[in-house]
Amino acid sequence: MKRWLIGVLVLTGLASAQFKAEYKLSLVVGPNTPWGMGAQRFADLVKEKTGGKVNIKVYYSGQLFAGQQTNEFQLLRTGVADFALGSTINWSPQVKELNLFNLPFFFPSYKELDAVEEGQAGKAIFQRLRQLGVEPLAWGENGYRQLTNSKRSVRTPEDLAGLKIRVVGAPIFIDTFRALGANPTSMNWAEVLTALQQGVIDGQENPIVGVIIPYKLWELGQRHLTLWNYVIDPVIFAASGITWRTFPPEVQKAVQEAALEAARYQKALARAGMDDGSALRYLGALGVKVEIPDPIAYLKAQGVQVTVLSPLEIGRFRDRVSGVVQRWMGEIGGTLVVQAESDKKRAR
């Protein structure tokens, strides 16, 4: 009996030892964004659903990767970070397939994006991430990326000529803005606000709800906004494969459920006021009050000049980057692009 009791205590000790006191979650942005709020919701749900076994601390604003946001994927696959809500843009230098979402003007609607994420292409991408040592859990979102600048309204590619635009450190963005006649410069987000304030750069491209409003970019001279939906920025809820394998099946199941629930909430926050009203209705059903239900009207009230491009005007930009799209389709892989086109077609 005594020997049996000792054995039980030893096994109990081993079971409890498999959980760390703290699990680190990496995030590029701050807590007052849909992205940041989604990360905290995920951490809270994981703690609740695992009975306190898995306690996640969110490291905001690039604390874990010292400002080098394109290094985040490497931190995750090596276990330096246990979890991340990572932008497909920031991970695309290490995972070429993620450049699918960086193809300019490839995703004309949320409906088609959702179909790709849930379809053949999305499943193939998740499988590729697993091969690289990262366990994908759910699709979130940062949003459609819009253009802001301090100099002038941009309605045609010619209006971009010579403007120094900050882009993420993914090569396809450099290619895209060069093709449009701008002067793109790669810069980590941690440096952008100061660069805008000092006039080192003329503009940048980011989602309205996810970045432009939370960071009040109009206060940094970004008074011209062009709505063109040229690229959308999915966010992936993911775990390090190293961390994931330490969890027993019931904990993996709980973390997965938390990710799916948090991702739906996070994606709705990112789309609030920018889609057909579905996001606001969903958040309302949860009892979540959205402070800015009409982001475009809010920006106009702040003195931002909003330029909305017509389909014909967008077509001129699309024509300018057609060579970039063709070249990068080869980098991404023809099979994945064909799968994505098929997924989009079913959504139309």
Side-chain angles (χ1 to χ4, degrees), residues 91-106:
W91 292 3
S92 63
Q94 285 81 41
V95 189
K96 65 179 183 178
E97 292 84 358
L98 293 178
N99 283 293
L100 178 72
F101 303 103
N102 301 340
L103 290 173
F105 306 105
F106 190 76

Side-chain angles (χ1 to χ4, degrees), residues 291-329:
E291 290 185 18
I292 304 173
D294 189 340
I296 304 303
Y298 177 82
L299 286 172
K300 289 178 178 178
Q302 309 310 309
V304 177
Q305 184 174 340
V306 179
T307 300
V308 182
L309 300 189
S310 69
L312 181 62
E313 288 169 328
I314 288 174
R316 295 190 185 112
F317 284 93
R318 186 186 292 112
D319 290 344
R320 286 287 187 97
V321 297
S322 60
V324 175
V325 172
Q326 289 301 316
R327 185 162 64 253
W328 276 91
M329 279 182 174

Side-chain angles (χ1 to χ4, degrees), residues 11-306:
L11 288 173
T12 303
L14 288 172
S16 61
Q18 67 182 326
F19 298 105
K20 296 191 287 190
E22 174 191 293
Y23 289 86
K24 295 179 173 65
L25 186 151
S26 177
L27 198 67
V28 171
V29 295
N32 65 328
T33 62
W35 198 346
M37 293 165 70
Q40 190 58 57
R41 174 66 69 98
F42 173 60
D44 293 343
L45 286 170
V46 167
K47 184 174 183 178
E48 174 190 323
K49 291 178 181 293
T50 63
K53 294 184 177 71
V54 180
N55 292 289
I56 296 173
K57 180 178 179 181
V58 181
Y59 284 79
Y60 297 101
S61 303
Q63 290 173 292
L64 293 183
F65 49 76
Q68 299 298 316
Q69 59 200 68
T70 53
N71 289 344
E72 185 179 61
F73 186 76
Q74 188 64 17
L75 297 185
L76 192 61
R77 71 186 301 193
T78 56
V80 175
D82 299 293
F83 296 94
L85 266 64
S87 163
T88 53
I89 293 174
N90 293 331
W91 292 3
S92 63
Q94 285 81 41
V95 189
K96 65 179 183 178
E97 292 84 358
L98 293 178
N99 283 293
L100 178 72
F101 303 103
N102 301 340
L103 290 173
F105 306 105
F106 190 76
F107 290 97
S109 69
Y110 289 121
K111 189 175 180 182
E112 291 186 28
L113 171 71
D114 290 342
V116 169
E117 290 176 349
E118 296 163 8
Q120 308 172 75
K123 290 179 174 63
I125 287 170
F126 271 19
Q127 183 56 35
R128 180 59 180 148
L129 293 176
R130 291 188 185 98
Q131 291 170 354
L132 294 173
V134 168
E135 182 64 30
L137 302 170
W139 291 99
E141 193 168 297
N142 195 18
Y144 274 112
R145 298 177 78 87
Q146 317 295 359
L147 178 72
T148 70
N149 82 93
S150 60
K151 300 295 186 183
R152 54 183 176 266
S153 297
V154 173
R155 188 173 287 279
T156 69
E158 289 73 25
D159 294 330
L160 267 171
L163 289 182
K164 192 169 186 179
I165 305 296
R166 175 267 177 178
V167 296
V168 185
I172 189 172
F173 286 85
I174 297 288
D175 291 351
T176 297
F177 278 86
R178 280 181 180 160
L180 292 172
N183 178 16
T185 180
S186 175
M187 185 179 294
N188 289 297
W189 182 246
E191 306 164 8
V192 172
L193 302 182
T194 301
L196 289 173
Q197 191 170 37
Q198 296 177 349
V200 174
I201 52 177
D202 299 316
Q204 59 85 56
E205 45 78 54
N206 257 307
I208 290 173
V209 177
V211 174
I212 293 171
I213 288 178
Y215 285 93
K216 300 181 179 180
L217 295 190
W218 59 90
E219 294 183 355
L220 303 176
Q222 299 295 288
R223 293 280 174 176
H224 299 281
L225 168 72
T226 298
L227 282 174
W228 61 345
N229 287 7
Y230 91 110
V231 160
I232 197 158
D233 186 5
V235 170
I236 298 175
F237 287 65
S240 168
I242 294 170
T243 300
W244 186 250
R245 289 189 293 272
T246 68
F247 294 152
E250 66 274 12
V251 171
Q252 290 181 348
K253 181 174 182 290
V255 173
Q256 177 70 78
E257 289 174 354
L260 291 170
E261 189 174 330
R264 187 178 181 190
Y265 162 80
Q266 189 277 325
K267 187 178 277 193
L269 288 177
R271 294 182 181 182
M274 301 299 293
D275 63 3
D276 60 1
S278 300
L280 286 172
R281 287 192 294 272
Y282 170 71
L283 292 169
L286 292 181
V288 176
K289 183 180 179 182
V290 175
E291 290 185 18
I292 304 173
D294 189 340
I296 304 303
Y298 177 82
L299 286 172
K300 289 178 178 178
Q302 309 310 309
V304 177
Q305 184 174 340
V306 179

